[in-house]
Amino acid sequence: MPRIVFAYLIRRVIGAVLMLVIVSMVVFGIFFGIPKIAGQSNDQLAASFVGKAPTAEAIAQTKHRLNLDKPIWVQYGKWVKGVVIGQDFNNGPSVEHCSSPCFGYSFKNNQAVLPQLEDRAPATLSLAAGAAVIWLISGVSVGVLSALKRGSVWDRAAMIVALGGVSLPIYFTGLLALAIFSYKLDLLPGGGSYVPFSQNPGTWFQSLILPWITLAFLYAATYARLTRAGMLETLGEDYIRTARAKGLPERTVITKHALRSTLTPILTIFGMDLGLLLGGAVLTEHTFGIAGLGQLSIDGITGNDLPVVLGVTLVAALFIVVANLIVDLLYAVIDPRVRLG
Amino acid sequence: MKKIRPLAAVAVGLVATSGLAACGGGDSGGGTKGAGYNAAVDKVINASDTKGGELRLAISDDFDSPDPGNTYYAWSQNFVRLYGRGLLTFKPSAGPDSNQVIPDLAEGPGQTPDNGKTWTYKLRSGVKYDDGTPVTSKDVKYAVERSNFSDELQLGPKYFKAYLQDNSTPYKGPYKDKSPEGLKSIETPDDNTITFKLAKPFAEFDYLVAMAQSIPVPQARDTGLKYEQKMASSGPYKVDSYERGKSMILSRNPNWDKSTDPIRKALPDKITLQLKQSGDDIDNRLLAGSLDVDAAGVGVQAGTQGKLLTDQTKKANTDNPLQGYLRFASLNLHVKPLDNVHCRRAVQYATDKVAMQSAYGGPLAGGDVATTILPPGIVGYQKFDKYPQTYKQGGGLDDKTLQAAKSELQQCGQPNGFKTKIAGRSDRPKEIAMAQAMQQGLKQVGIQTDIVQYPAGDYFNKYVGAPEFVHKNGVGIMLMAWSADWPTGYGFLSQILDGRAIKPSGGNNLPEEDNPAINKAFDDAIGNTDKDARAKIYGQIDQMAMDDAVDIPIIYAKALLYRPSNLANVGISQGYGGMYDYLNLGVKK
């Protein structure tokens, strides 16, 4: 690896770590700061982790157990300490040690956060990666064809479908797909059928077909429209005319010259989209009953569960950083002008 | 080639897709004819003793905790009985019969020699855990100690802690107090006997031991907050796996002995419960026959209701039971001018309950218009109407009713009405719709209201349940819903009408009712072992509170439930708030 690339990577990794630290501080600040501004006390926060009609004693015990009776910087310090050197957790009859990096324990279900993230990540990864392959291939292909057949019935039909894809929410298209293909035609498994790849690859694949297609439909539509617009713009450029004038085959003009140029911005958006999705495809996971990071984040947010919110946010931020880094490196492959060294 | 007009294409597509959406759902789950609308409300239908198969449940939520000592949710209390046996339990039945508590792990109901201050239960012999070790009374004592006295388990009720005598040095629970005697007011003279000594008489103690917290926990297997991951089973099923937010899988407990358990049929070989599923998808799967029960028991989604009620075949598989809930408006006694009983009575008359019922979903999904605080089905309910209303043909309160409201306003010294606020939960759109309907009704007699919205999570802790906030902000009217922890007048009313339940925050006595006669009536009732006499007192408390006009009953909540035809032994349990009783469900092949 050239030295300059190595230095670039080191700079990006340091930047990513700094960003994650800032994200963790911001999440901590939002969790405690905004409710405080609105007047919420720590007692009220603790009461959400006690059963119906909580007593003052139960609230006090819970506040102490969750460290909510400590100042915010002390709580943040304890969390950072857990990440760096681990922490102990009192189960009642015993104390268990959570090794570094320990992201704390859920306020709601008292389980260590990191194993929950590890447990949920494969489902989200399966969903996002499969859908990404479908939407990238189909979206770009449709966009290219639409641009080449501009104004044709194909172009109009494709753009109408794309408009539908962008406009229809996943909880509509997902439920519709389930109603038709699972419950009416009985062709594919219904909601809640997801199993991990390691458990049964066949069922894993079958159970993800509808979620993949539904999720990809939304994104493919956007990509088709972007690709079409990009291609139309590129095809009007002077260098394309030059390439054609040189007698290059149309196929070469399209794939090596026009598409390559169009793909650069598409790739940027793809990196962002995939990174975001890896942090949790909330609606798709909810509609199809897939226990992924998206569901975990929603549970964390609705349950005032700071350690879980923090964990999912950091993972999502990490995915976005990594996806962007990969995209930046891929620019060099696609576009010789940005090649390093 | 003729070009397709884009708009027409979109229209055709939408028509096609909506048509297909309507096709969602298959053959009423099993294909056989349903038992009839409301058939399971008052009797157990599709009776069966056929063993085998898999019972499939799903829910859009998760347990608060599946640990019997650390759960409060009604559906969870219902469900955990599949793997745990408490001293008593609600009778697996339907209708009023299902409100009875009957012996489960105990041989009989509690024996009290001193009018409810001491309660003794004898355990059945031969009951074993899934690992083959015998269940003893010490395990029941330990279960109550850990669930009520430890700092860690905070999600369940704390009634034992509230009513049992404490040690001379306050007992800190078994995780901190390692003394062999533990809580001295629970005695276990032998392995089959347990005695509870209360601080004062409590005649409804049998209802407390019917809660999941009396399900035994062997100390050697207790892992505190982690216990939910690996629980000891004393019921017919053991928990093979529980994954938060995903699923729970039960299989037969090889050491369960039917001869020790006269109330359970234990029909399915396997029980699966899927967690955190989409509510709409649960409905679709129920209709398609790929799911047997929506474990939440609070009814189908709004979009599914029409589908069920317009199709007679599907309607024959539905039940519309009362859910043991009351939706009501509380009037705070310290917010002027509602400190005057006549102003409160004016609000009673001028509240358009029918409009509020419609706003909440109508008679089927919302419930029946209410006139009492105690809902039907709760022990002590008496039908009466202190503030009778009549409605115009096309809707809205008629002149006679509005006149009654105006007359009360005159007596209150506010002949032209007054201004106040109505509080509702911002994330409960139907509650806000109710507030708007109420606002319109009150406007007719000059009562002007502003609707104030607060998030559900902090509603009681920070806003309407905090008297200081209510007084300071002049929140006169507060919407809420309430159900009982056990189905008697005491279980229902004590937290919302007893003056001693008023708290600085997190309280449920929103009007801050502190009527000495009502407080005394609660004491008289709960110290009386004659259940008929208690029931009579509860009716009187309801009447007194309505005389004070502190709460406006709006609707007795109902829900539309769907039961696939293949589901066996189906009955609505009033004991668990109008959901199906899960104890003896089976699946017909």
Side-chain angles (χ1 to χ4, degrees), chain A residues 233-261:
Chain A
E233 193 184 333
T234 311
L235 288 171
E237 295 281 347
D238 289 346
Y239 73 92
I240 297 291
R241 200 178 310 121
T242 308
R244 281 179 175 145
K246 278 186 345 188
L248 284 178
E250 186 64 13
R251 190 190 175 105
T252 309
V253 173
I254 299 299
T255 54
K256 290 219 165 169
H257 294 270
L259 185 58
R260 208 165 188 179
S261 172

Side-chain angles (χ1 to χ4, degrees), chain A residues 30-49 68 304, chain B residues 455 457-458 461-463:
Chain A
I30 289 173
F31 189 87
F32 286 102
I34 290 178
K36 278 249 166 66
I37 293 166
Q40 187 190 53
S41 69
N42 286 342
D43 278 13
Q44 285 150 5
L45 181 59
S48 56
F49 307 113
L68 296 172
N304 280 338
Chain B
D458 289 327
N461 296 323
K462 184 178 166 188
Y463 301 107

Side-chain angles (χ1 to χ4, degrees), chain B residues 16 84 105 123 166 200 237 271 292 296 307 368 386 399 414 473 501 550 568 589:
Chain B
L105 183 60
L123 272 61
D166 203 349
K200 58 181 184 180
Y237 296 93
I271 299 174
D292 303 313
K307 217 187 277 186
D368 296 336
K386 293 261 179 197
D399 290 342
Q414 304 277 347
N473 291 280
V550 291
K589 288 164 193 164

Side-chain angles (χ1 to χ4, degrees), chain A residues 38 61 111 119 183 192, chain B residues 154 226 229 246 274 281 462:
Chain A
Q61 286 167 344
Q111 292 180 6
D119 181 49
Y183 307 130
Chain B
Q154 292 288 5
K226 303 287 169 192
Q229 297 298 324
K246 291 182 179 176
Q274 287 186 303
D281 191 49
K462 184 178 166 188

Side-chain angles (χ1 to χ4, degrees), chain A residues 123-144:
Chain A
T124 301
L125 189 66
S126 302
L127 176 62
V133 169
I134 297 173
W135 93 58
L136 195 61
I137 293 173
S138 59
V140 171
S141 307
V142 168
V144 169

Side-chain angles (χ1 to χ4, degrees), chain B residues 202-219:
Chain B
F202 188 81
E204 294 184 351
F205 196 73
D206 274 353
Y207 285 104
L208 298 194
V209 300
M211 290 183 182
Q213 292 183 336
S214 75
I215 290 175
V217 175
Q219 186 166 7

Side-chain angles (χ1 to χ4, degrees), chain B residues 288-321:
Chain B
S290 57
L291 187 70
D292 303 313
V293 183
D294 176 358
V298 292
V300 297
Q301 307 291 311
T304 312
Q305 286 164 13
K307 217 187 277 186
L308 296 178
L309 297 172
T310 51
D311 180 330
Q312 290 308 310
T313 312
K314 289 189 173 80
K315 190 177 176 184
N317 285 69
T318 60
D319 296 297
N320 190 214

